[in-house]
Amino acid sequence: MNKKKFICISCPRGCSLETEWNDQSDLKVAGNGCPRGIEYANNEIFNPVRILTATVKTSDPEIKRIPVKSIKPVKKDLIPSILNELYKIQIPLPVASGDIVLKNALESGIDIVATRSSE
Amino acid sequence: MINKSYDAVIIGGGAAGMTAAVTLSKLGHTTAILERDSSLGGVLNQCIHNGFGLHYFGEELTGPEYAEKLRKRVAETGTELFLSASVISIERNNEITVTAYSAKGVMTLTSKALVLSMGCRERNRGNIGISGSRPAGVFTAGLAQRLMNIEGYLPGKKAVIIGSGDIGLIMARRLKWCGCDVAAVIEILPHPSGLTRNIVQCLNDFNIPLYLSHSVTRIVGKNRVTGVQVSPVTNGNPDYSASFNIDCDTVLLSVGLIPENEVSKTAGVKINPETGGAFVDANYMTSVPGIFSCGNVLHVHDLVDYVSEESERCAGFASDFIKNNASSESSIDVKTGSNLKYVIPNRMHPSNGGRFYMRPLIVKQNGIVTMSVNGNIIKEKKLQRVQPSEMIRLDITPEELAEQEISDSSSIEIGVR
């Protein structure tokens, strides 16, 4: 029986989770304040993921960078490579919040989108 | 010179100011926002990470997305915007007059009500007096955040971060995700100052060491930072016999936010030394009639969602004031009780009930916050975790109070145990 304690990061509450499992099918989670904690625990043990946020260069001398995020959490160990891809890009303006900046980042199936509209 | 009149003028176009403008406009008032930056949004514009909006918008957003939702709401109202405008002074005569300047010149705006929502400035090296030389490479964390996220500069290559508050933790991760090294986070208290969530996703994820009960006692370097001296702190004093050095070229200071009330003082607004913000009554009104305050300039918040909620309430009371609907019922003191640094607001009209925000002085699991009247507990709320970095909110309804026979001589207190 495996056991692990950790903090859920799904929201600012930061509930303390206690988990037990033999394999992924019988994972028990306690201490979560809402259902998102169960999903978080499952991922954290078997497939750690994180929402990625960064900024991307623009071609505009006034608005030099646009903030971006992954629309869903991505695999933790893919993050450095995705960041490298983002740092190669230069996006033209105008851009609207929600516009895709990098589609299907590194075949993850997850898009990276702008989080600010240029004015 | 521009001279204009409004029902309400709002100083500061960040989360609090934008929410106040939307609320006041929807209540039928002419409003204007004075904002020193070139666009609305305040600090949200540079907070590119997520974790905002879960309560207020029902979805998890990044700072810029939260700001953009509010900006759009403001644009849908008739609120007049004065951007890149700096307020010089406020005067309270028959009306409230705000003097400001921008590229267009000096302007005076008069109004029936004024909302102070200027946010905070950062505590800096000079305020806390860190010894050593004065090389380049020492930044407050928020300044470094602006330089990185808005201007596109790296502050340095290898950083030590002073303070484990949320800004410092978020910047630790930011630096790592931009290819920089973070040698350590140094925290003077025996426990972390930021949200536990951020300890996990900003430090643990990157194996960045956190030194609790330690202090940076010296910054070293001639033209540029070359390192810091770190000392353990026992009984509030650094133990130099156990000092050690950490090499770095950058120091980020995340050592506290100070409500930016310099301009409030020009109006004679009385400031609460416990919060750094204005003293406010049950209606979020300061000691100067018609001048209201909300958001970080009133007290430092951890969640922008609470800022928006507070700002809506404050703007509602400002509206009542403009319409001469303010309650004539006398309000009662709400005392700051055990284990709390402050309670805001610290007055209440029993027929309205109230929503109170407070900060604890203790750290514990499974705490309880209570409101008592004349020593009898009338309301309790369980808290999974109590720590100074997490603001507590307690609501009391008029119905809950009606059962208690509150009178002017009742003693109301909120405490945590």
Side-chain angles (χ1 to χ4, degrees):
Chain A
M1 174 71 70
N2 300 301
K3 289 186 186 192
K4 198 163 177 203
K5 280 188 192 183
F6 44 82
I7 304 281
C8 178
I9 62 171
S10 300
C11 88
R13 257 176 96 176
C15 300
S16 297
L17 303 178
E18 291 188 15
T19 61
E20 260 181 26
W21 73 97
N22 287 312
D23 56 57
Q24 197 168 5
S25 61
D26 73 349
L27 175 66
K28 287 188 189 55
V29 181
N32 52 305
C34 82
R36 297 160 95 224
I38 301 178
E39 188 188 343
Y40 175 77
N42 205 323
N43 277 327
E44 195 62 6
I45 294 167
F46 301 107
N47 176 32
V49 291
R50 295 285 184 265
I51 293 267
L52 172 63
T53 54
T55 59
V56 167
K57 196 169 177 173
T58 71
S59 45
D60 191 290
E62 290 287 319
I63 300 174
K64 304 183 187 89
R65 299 193 78 87
I66 288 283
V68 299
K69 73 172 183 189
S70 59
I71 54 169
K72 279 192 244 183
V74 299
K75 272 200 210 312
K76 231 169 129 176
D77 42 20
L78 272 188
I79 288 177
S81 315
I82 296 179
L83 285 171
N84 280 335
E85 287 306 305
L86 287 172
Y87 295 149
K88 293 177 190 164
I89 301 174
Q90 200 175 33
I91 53 173
L93 299 185
V95 71
S97 186
D99 283 356
I100 297 175
V101 160
L102 182 65
K103 190 150 186 62
N104 187 13
L106 292 184
E107 308 298 318
S108 60
I110 297 170
D111 298 333
I112 312 292
V113 300
T115 54
R116 183 178 181 165
S117 307
S118 56
E119 272 117 45
Chain B
M1 184 145 127
I2 302 169
N3 301 303
K4 285 188 144 187
S5 272
Y6 304 88
D7 289 336
V9 164
I10 297 163
I11 306 182
M18 287 192 285
T19 308
V22 169
T23 309
L24 282 159
S25 288
K26 283 191 180 161
L27 289 167
H29 302 293
T30 54
T31 44
I33 298 178
L34 286 153
E35 164 57 46
R36 70 181 177 192
D37 211 335
S38 52
S39 67
L40 299 178
V43 79
L44 286 169
N45 290 334
Q46 64 186 60
C47 291
I48 65 162
H49 51 284
N50 63 325
F52 307 90
L54 211 47
H55 298 286
Y56 196 65
F57 287 114
E59 49 176 320
E60 193 173 35
L61 302 169
T62 60
E65 287 169 315
Y66 193 106
E68 191 151 314
K69 276 187 185 293
L70 285 179
R71 227 183 275 124
K72 284 201 172 104
R73 287 188 180 180
V74 170
E76 286 159 12
T77 68
T79 302
E80 186 156 4
L81 303 180
F82 293 92
L83 301 174
S84 302
S86 235
V87 173
I88 305 168
S89 67
I90 303 167
E91 263 179 57
R92 216 283 177 239
N93 299 311
N94 290 329
E95 288 177 301
I96 302 167
T97 306
V98 175
T99 305
Y101 70 87
S102 70
K104 296 181 189 161
V106 179
M107 60 187 102
T108 55
L109 305 186
T110 52
S111 61
K112 300 180 186 133
L114 179 68
V115 177
L116 302 172
S117 49
M118 298 83 83
C120 290
R121 63 177 184 267
E122 299 183 273
R123 187 169 278 116
N124 58 41
R125 181 190 177 175
N127 294 137
I128 62 175
I130 303 178
S131 303
S133 52
R134 295 204 294 259
V138 180
F139 306 87
T140 51
L143 170 60
Q145 187 183 53
R146 184 174 173 119
L147 288 172
M148 291 180 81
N149 296 342
I150 308 281
E151 307 292 335
Y153 291 101
L154 286 181
K157 283 294 186 181
K158 184 174 181 187
V160 164
I161 299 178
I162 306 179
S164 64
D166 288 321
I167 307 169
L169 299 178
I170 290 290
M171 284 310 291
R173 180 176 65 178
R174 191 83 195 95
L175 286 166
K176 291 295 293 185
W177 275 354
C178 289
C180 305
D181 238 331
V182 179
V185 174
I186 315 293
E187 168 58 54
I188 200 166
L189 294 175
H191 54 84
S193 302
L195 294 172
T196 314
R197 163 193 220 200
N198 287 331
I199 300 288
V200 173
Q201 62 190 5
C202 301
L203 296 189
N204 298 349
D205 270 9
F206 300 95
N207 296 318
I208 296 172
L210 170 63
Y211 291 89
L212 295 175
S213 300
H214 279 69
S215 173
V216 168
T217 40
R218 207 167 180 79
I219 295 178
V220 181
K222 192 170 175 219
N223 297 322
R224 178 80 198 193
V225 173
T226 55
V228 292
Q229 176 198 60
V230 179
S231 310
V233 171
T234 36
N235 297 323
N237 291 315
D239 176 4
Y240 292 102
S241 70
S243 295
F244 55 95
N245 294 320
I246 302 181
D247 290 340
C248 60
D249 65 7
T250 305
V251 180
L252 294 196
L253 284 120
S254 169
V255 295
L257 297 176
I258 303 171
E260 185 59 270
N261 276 300
E262 299 312 305
V263 115
S264 314
K265 294 174 190 171
T266 66
V269 168
K270 291 197 174 57
I271 303 297
N272 180 349
E274 289 300 329
T275 58
F279 278 111
V280 291
D281 67 9
N283 298 337
Y284 282 93
M285 195 163 81
T286 68
S287 56
V288 178
I291 300 185
F292 296 80
S293 184
C294 59
N296 270 357
V297 80
L298 177 60
H299 59 132
V300 178
H301 288 257
D302 342 292
L303 290 185
V304 72
D305 302 70
Y306 285 3
V307 167
S308 288
E309 280 173 10
E310 181 175 81
S311 175
E312 272 186 13
R313 288 175 70 84
C314 173
F317 292 126
S319 169
D320 289 341
F321 180 87
I322 294 167
K323 292 176 179 167
N324 283 318
N325 281 346
S327 172
S328 56
E329 177 198 15
S330 59
S331 61
I332 308 181
D333 237 1
V334 174
K335 295 187 186 55
T336 300
S338 59
N339 299 315
L340 288 177
K341 189 164 162 59
Y342 67 80
V343 174
I344 281 183
N346 51 11
R347 299 192 70 78
M348 167 170 68
H349 291 295
S351 58
N352 290 340
R355 166 165 286 172
F356 299 94
Y357 299 95
M358 62 208 79
R359 279 210 184 270
L361 290 165
I362 54 172
V363 177
K364 71 180 287 194
Q365 306 290 337
N366 300 324
I368 305 181
V369 57
T370 56
M371 175 180 274
S372 35
V373 176
N374 299 328
N376 300 318
I377 295 176
I378 65 163
K379 179 96 190 232
E380 275 189 356
K381 181 174 163 182
K382 289 203 181 97
L383 304 162
Q384 196 189 52
R385 193 176 40 244
V386 175
Q387 59 191 39
S389 63
E390 292 183 22
M391 185 179 285
I392 298 167
R393 193 181 71 180
L394 181 70
D395 290 341
I396 192 95
T397 63
E399 293 73 35
E400 285 166 324
L401 289 167
E403 297 162 18
Q404 303 305 321
E405 289 180 23
I406 313 262
S407 72
D408 282 2
S409 58
S410 297
S411 169
I412 303 183
E413 189 173 292
I414 300 181
V416 153
R417 61 171 201 276

